[in-house]
Amino acid sequence: MAWLHTNDAVQQLSENVILYDLAQMRGKNALLSRIPEHISGVYAWYRRFELDPNAKNDPDIFVNSILDELCKDHSAPRETGLPPMYRIILKPETSFSKELILKELSADSAFRELLFMLLNNSLIFQQPLYIGRATNLYCRIRNHLREGSILRERLGAAGHNISRCRLLLIYTSLNTSSLDIDLDNTVDDNEFDHQAIQDCEFSEFGSEILIEDILSRLFLPSFTLRYG
């Protein structure tokens, strides 16, 4: 059952908006082969919930699967200085106080089915994990997916596998400048959160800069460390 999107591996939501379900695709090349090169735009990573298939028929497995998902960090930790000699670290809270109620209700197959359906349609409810922009979406997504990338490590530390997430791509313009291609091929992943200056230099009329900033401030992606 689906609401706003199907369960297909690739779904075109509009002329320039495409949703990918990486869990249903055979490796990163299957995704990259579907992303045109030299296109700029905005992208968003979303968490995908994958409960144990046996959970539908086994209340104990169902409860454990839900608790496992609840225990994963839902955002990146934040750290800042507190002058003159202290630092403050904020970490996400993952405690859950309703385990007994969950166990009781999970004995009802209709309740389990409802939660399965809701999690399958989690895009309706959830914050994006990360929102970004790129002058070359193909190169940016390829960099995110490579082993050891900063975003892969950041999500992995919280229990989220980027290769099993959903990815929304919003194409904003055709990019023909070789400078754009070189930039996205060489920039290191740890610069993705603060490259407004570089993008502005090579994307004179880049609507993706404004779109990314508006979406980030409205929907607060939980693993983006800074906006704009």
Side-chain angles (χ1 to χ4, degrees), residues 67-79:
L67 292 177
D68 285 344
E69 293 295 336
L70 289 171
C71 287
K72 294 178 181 178
D73 288 346
H74 54 78
S75 67
R78 266 52 174 186
E79 181 176 356

Side-chain angles (χ1 to χ4, degrees), residues 36-40 135-139 173-177 181:
E37 295 196 48
H38 319 323
I39 297 287
S40 61
T135 52
N136 188 320
L137 282 171
Y138 175 90
C139 292
S173 62
L174 178 66
N175 199 331
T176 58
S177 170
I181 301 170

Side-chain angles (χ1 to χ4, degrees), residues 196-215:
I197 295 177
Q198 295 97 318
D199 274 351
C200 287
E201 289 177 353
F202 300 106
S203 185
E204 185 178 359
F205 303 105
S207 60
E208 65 271 7
I209 295 173
L210 181 60
I211 292 173
E212 182 237 14
D213 197 50
I214 290 174
L215 293 181

Side-chain angles (χ1 to χ4, degrees), residues 184-198:
D184 282 309
N185 269 320
T186 58
V187 68
D188 188 78
D189 232 3
N190 61 11
E191 298 297 322
F192 286 170
D193 285 319
H194 51 87
Q195 60 177 38
I197 295 177
Q198 295 97 318

Side-chain angles (χ1 to χ4, degrees), residues 43-214:
Y43 60 94
W45 290 101
Y46 290 91
R47 180 176 178 179
R48 190 182 193 278
F49 295 89
E50 296 183 276
L51 302 186
D52 187 318
N54 296 316
K56 277 192 175 183
N57 300 315
D58 189 316
D60 292 332
I61 296 178
F62 179 84
V63 169
N64 289 333
S65 294
I66 295 296
L67 292 177
D68 285 344
E69 293 295 336
L70 289 171
C71 287
K72 294 178 181 178
D73 288 346
H74 54 78
S75 67
R78 266 52 174 186
E79 181 176 356
T80 189
L82 182 63
M85 54 184 297
Y86 299 99
R87 295 199 68 78
I88 296 175
I89 300 177
L90 299 178
K91 295 184 177 181
E93 176 60 69
T94 58
S95 63
F96 182 65
S97 62
K98 299 179 176 62
E99 185 173 342
L100 291 178
I101 300 175
L102 174 63
K103 289 181 177 179
E104 179 179 343
L105 292 178
S106 294
D108 183 352
S109 61
F111 175 78
R112 298 196 303 273
E113 184 67 30
L114 174 62
L115 262 184
F116 260 95
M117 183 267 292
L118 294 175
L119 293 182
N120 282 337
N121 290 277
S122 60
L123 285 181
I124 297 172
F125 307 105
Q126 66 173 293
Q127 291 174 277
L129 293 172
Y130 186 91
I131 292 177
R133 67 176 180 274
T135 52
N136 188 320
L137 282 171
Y138 175 90
C139 292
R140 178 59 50 78
I141 300 306
R142 182 185 63 188
N143 285 339
H144 276 320
L145 289 173
R146 66 178 172 82
E147 292 299 324
S149 77
I150 295 299
L151 184 59
R152 176 183 285 277
E153 295 296 321
R154 187 183 302 167
L155 295 178
H160 309 298
N161 183 352
I162 194 172
S163 297
R164 308 290 293 179
C165 288
R166 287 189 171 101
L167 171 65
L168 186 72
L169 293 187
I170 305 166
Y171 300 132
T172 56
S173 62
L174 178 66
N175 199 331
T176 58
S177 170
S178 62
L179 289 175
D180 292 323
I181 301 170
D182 290 341
L183 172 68
D184 282 309
N185 269 320
T186 58
V187 68
D188 188 78
D189 232 3
N190 61 11
E191 298 297 322
F192 286 170
D193 285 319
H194 51 87
Q195 60 177 38
I197 295 177
Q198 295 97 318
D199 274 351
C200 287
E201 289 177 353
F202 300 106
S203 185
E204 185 178 359
F205 303 105
S207 60
E208 65 271 7
I209 295 173
L210 181 60
I211 292 173
E212 182 237 14
D213 197 50
I214 290 174

